[in-house]
Amino acid sequence: MYKLLITEITAQRDMQALVKFLLKVPGLTADEVSRGLKAPPLEVFSVEQRRQAEKIKDTLEKLGAMCQIEDTDAIPKSANREEIYIAPVVQKKLEKKNSGWAIWLSIFGVLILFAALTFYFQDTDKTKQKQKVESTTAQKAPVATPAPAKNTAPPEKYAKASTPGLKQTLNKNPYDVDAWKKLTANLEKEGDTASAKIAKKSYDQAVKSQMILASLAKAFGNDSRVEIREDAVYYRTSKDIGDREFYYNAAVLRDSLNAKFPNKDLVVENYTSDNKVQTVRLSAGYKSIEVPITED
């Protein structure tokens, strides 16, 4: 057995930290610590392995206590029997107290774990309830959707179109984006890669033309869609404006299109946030309004 003793307190001691550390040692009372520090030596504890005592010795010396480790097994046979067996008795007390501390620490750890799990599941339930409420609210909330654009064909209108039929359609309207896209796919499927590349290039040019035309409708906002058909250029826009301003902006847009599309009518359909639809058709050359402003 190895007994750890505090033999002296140095001038560079940290008394507060030293006392606090010693009070954590099982088997030492506050009275024993007070008397032992005032009048060393103070027996801290006894252990079976020397390295355990050396570890605590290093800590105590850092706090300003000079320590000594005694090997009680090396005590002479002539020593008093009570002194010989004091170390094992202290060791048993330490083991008993350590066992008590271990039990309390285990109970404390279980309580902390239980509290953490309870908090986690409560928080998870609250999150799920919040998500459920938000989902229900989103499902119930009315969604304002604009009415479908008039005179517009579905994207798959050329799904079954043949290559000759598509070429005939494009001869009438070289700006038909859907027709160019389907023709490109047909030519690739037929193995005519050279013609497919030309068709793809024409498709890109048609898309670019639509983008340029969309940029001309800035007065109707940034969300404008354009479709160039055989008979007219169709604009679908969404901006909250009055009827007079709507007609004026459409007239200005007609002037912008006269140079490139003098033979095509202009049709503008504007969908407002209150589900109102403003529609106007300006004939080629900007001479008359064939379809007056209407409200849905």
Side-chain angles (χ1 to χ4, degrees):
M1 298 293 294
Y2 296 92
K3 183 190 299 182
L4 177 61
L5 301 173
I6 294 178
T7 59
E8 186 178 347
I9 305 300
T10 65
Q12 290 77 26
R13 64 185 178 275
D14 185 353
M15 187 60 74
Q16 184 178 358
L18 182 60
V19 171
K20 186 176 180 181
F21 181 85
L22 290 172
L23 289 176
K24 294 181 180 180
V25 177
L28 282 180
T29 65
D31 184 59
E32 290 173 344
V33 172
S34 177
R35 287 188 284 104
L37 293 179
K38 289 180 180 178
L42 170 63
E43 181 179 341
V44 181
F45 58 68
S46 296
V47 290
E48 293 181 354
Q49 297 183 1
R50 184 180 182 88
R51 69 171 182 270
Q52 295 176 338
E54 289 178 345
K55 184 175 181 181
I56 303 301
K57 176 177 176 289
D58 292 340
T59 302
L60 292 173
E61 287 181 345
K62 290 178 181 179
L63 297 175
M66 296 185 64
C67 302
Q68 178 181 335
I69 298 175
E70 290 183 359
D71 186 356
T72 57
D73 293 335
I75 297 177
K77 294 182 180 181
S78 59
N80 186 282
R81 178 178 294 273
E82 183 180 353
E83 293 177 354
I84 293 175
Y85 287 97
I86 189 171
V89 172
V90 173
Q91 177 64 21
K92 289 181 180 179
K93 289 183 179 180
L94 287 172
E95 292 175 353
K96 184 176 180 181
K97 288 185 177 292
N98 285 336
S99 177
W101 276 102
I103 293 173
W104 281 108
L105 287 174
S106 299
I107 294 173
F108 185 67
V110 171
L111 291 174
I112 291 178
L113 178 61
F114 178 76
L117 290 174
T118 302
F119 175 79
Y120 170 78
F121 285 112
Q122 287 179 347
D123 187 64
T124 302
D125 290 340
K126 290 180 180 179
T127 302
K128 290 181 178 179
Q129 291 176 359
K130 182 179 179 182
Q131 291 175 346
K132 185 177 180 180
V133 171
E134 291 177 349
S135 177
T136 304
T137 304
Q139 291 175 0
K140 292 182 178 180
V143 179
T145 55
K150 299 177 182 178
N151 299 321
T152 57
E156 299 298 325
K157 61 182 179 180
Y158 297 120
K160 297 181 180 180
S162 64
T163 299
L166 290 169
K167 290 181 178 180
Q168 185 177 359
T169 299
L170 290 168
N171 285 333
K172 297 179 180 179
N173 180 19
Y175 297 97
D176 193 327
V177 173
D178 293 330
W180 281 118
K181 185 176 182 180
K182 178 60 179 176
L183 178 61
T184 302
N186 282 3
L187 292 172
E188 289 178 347
K189 188 175 181 180
E190 294 169 2
D192 191 351
T193 56
S195 298
K197 289 181 178 180
I198 296 174
K200 178 61 168 59
K201 186 176 181 180
S202 298
Y203 165 78
D204 293 338
Q205 290 176 347
V207 172
K208 185 176 180 180
S209 296
Q210 285 191 351
M211 294 174 64
I212 293 174
L213 293 180
S215 67
L216 296 177
K218 293 181 180 179
F220 291 100
N222 297 324
D223 187 17
S224 298
R225 284 185 283 177
V226 186
E227 183 180 356
I228 307 172
R229 299 185 187 175
E230 184 179 351
D231 62 330
V233 179
Y234 283 81
Y235 276 86
R236 187 183 182 192
T237 62
S238 57
K239 186 178 181 181
D240 293 331
I241 56 177
D243 291 344
R244 187 171 182 177
E245 183 181 358
F246 166 74
Y247 171 73
Y248 173 78
N249 291 334
V252 173
L253 181 59
R254 171 72 266 182
D255 291 339
S256 300
L257 297 177
N258 278 339
K260 191 168 185 178
F261 299 101
N263 299 321
K264 291 184 185 293
D265 291 353
L266 168 66
V267 179
V268 182
E269 294 178 346
N270 184 58
Y271 296 84
T272 63
S273 58
D274 57 354
N275 293 327
K276 176 181 178 181
V277 182
Q278 297 166 313
T279 305
V280 66
R281 184 183 188 106
L282 299 180
S283 299
Y286 183 43
K287 295 179 179 179
S288 64
I289 302 178
E290 296 178 2
V291 179
I293 298 173
T294 60
E295 297 183 2
D296 289 353

